[in-house]
Amino acid sequence: DAGVTQSPTHLIKTRGQHVTLRCSPISGHKSVSWYQQVLGQGPQFIFQYYEKEERGRGNFPDRFSARQFPNYSSELNVNALLLGDSALYLCASSSGQSASGTETQYFGPGTRLLVL
Amino acid sequence: AQSVTQPDIHITVSEGASLELRCNYSYGATPYLFWYVQSPGQGLQLLLKYFSGDTLVQGIKGFEAEFKRSQSSFNLRKPSVHWSDAAEYFCAVGEGHNAGNMLTFGGGTRLMVKP
C-alpha cells in the first residue's frame, strides 16, 4: 500500500508569491494534518482536517490556509510568501476514527520550500 | 500551553553502546507522548507512543521509553546502538480529545554513531 504522498518534492518561490502544496493520505485515512519544519527545528503544527472540516489550527498567520477534498486529499496554501516561510512542509494522515484521537499519524516525505 | 524540551541537541555514541535521549514536557493533564525518528530526506517515523497503562513502552527497532510523571519526562532508550540508528529523534506531546493529530514537538536530538 502506498504511504502518504506529497507534491511537489521541492519548490523555489520568491517573496510575495503564492504556493500550493498537495498531500494524498493513506488509503482509508480521513484525517490530514500539516506541519512546518524549519531547518534545525522540530515540526510545528499548522492545521488538521477531518472529513473536509478544520479540526485544529496552530499559531500561524492567516496567510496560511488549507482545505480537504471529498477524496480526503488536502492542499496547503500560503499567500504573500516571506523568507521565513522557507521550510520542509510535512503532511500526516490518520484514520481519524478514534474517539480519543489517539490513533497513529503517518508522515509523508515532505515538500521542501525555498523562498528567495 | 504544552511544550516539549529535548535538552541535548547532539549526541554521539559508539556502535554497540547504550543510548538514552532525554525528553521533558510541560502539560497540565495526562499527556499523550510520542517518539519519532527522522532520517535525512525522510519523513517522520513513529518509534513508540504512550497513552496510558504501563509506563515502560516498547517500540520498533529495539527502542523503549519510560514515562515518569514525577519528573515530567519520557526518555528514549536503546541497549545497543547500531550505525543505522544515526538520525534525528523527536519527542512530541499531544493533548486532549485529538491528541494523536495535533502534536507539539521538541527541537530534536541528532544522534551520531561512531564505528
Side-chain angles (χ1 to χ4, degrees), chain A residues 31 33 35 37 41-43 45 48 55-56 88 90 94 99-105 107-109, chain B residues 32 34 36 38 41-44 46 49 51 90 96-103 105-108:
Chain A
S31 171
S33 296
Y35 293 82
Q37 186 178 18
Q41 298 180 19
F45 172 75
Q48 189 221 349
R55 261 193 177 180
L88 179 68
L90 295 164
S94 70
S100 60
T102 55
E103 64 270 25
T104 297
Q105 280 190 113
F107 283 81
Chain B
Y32 294 142
F34 306 79
Y36 281 86
Q38 186 176 37
Q42 303 289 320
L44 296 164
L46 179 68
K49 60 186 179 183
F51 291 146
F90 293 96
H97 71 283
N98 202 12
N101 294 305
M102 299 193 304
L103 301 180
F105 283 85

